[in-house]
């Protein structure tokens, strides 16, 4: 799974010029920065937080202690 979805919750850039363009855009457009930030936070909470992965963690712990 990709953590960053380009132009949804961040930027995926391959060249220095792309980074410069994207970062400049965020410095100018605070609403865009807020949108990307909110989307990034939402994705992390939904997919990568302890709360969203508690079932997976419990399963691993159960497997570790089961003979």
């Amino acid at each position: 799974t990709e953590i960053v979805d380009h132009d949804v919750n961040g930027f995926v850039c391959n060249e220095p010029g792309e980074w410069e363009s994207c970062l400049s855009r965020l410095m100018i457009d605070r609403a865009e920065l807020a949108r990307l930030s909110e989307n990034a936070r939402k994705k992390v909470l939904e997919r990568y937080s302890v709360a969203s992965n508690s079932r997976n963690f419990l399963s691993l712990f159960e497997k570790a202690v089961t003979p």
Side-chain angles (χ1 to χ4, degrees):
T1 305
E2 292 292 325
I3 294 174
V4 177
D5 300 307
H6 185 74
D7 212 24
V8 174
N9 59 15
F11 298 114
V12 178
C13 301
N14 297 311
E15 302 290 329
E18 291 176 294
W19 279 114
E20 183 180 350
S21 174
C22 291
L23 293 174
S24 294
R25 191 169 121 197
L26 294 180
M27 291 184 344
I28 293 167
D29 189 348
R30 293 301 199 183
E32 178 74 356
L33 174 61
R35 180 185 72 80
L36 291 173
S37 298
E38 181 60 32
N39 288 342
R41 179 175 171 73
K42 182 178 175 185
K43 184 169 185 175
V44 167
L45 291 175
E46 289 175 354
R47 296 192 183 178
Y48 305 106
S49 69
V50 172
S52 69
N53 283 288
S54 60
R55 190 174 301 153
N56 292 338
F57 293 145
L58 289 174
S59 175
L60 290 172
F61 295 142
E62 287 171 359
K63 288 177 184 177
V65 298
T66 304

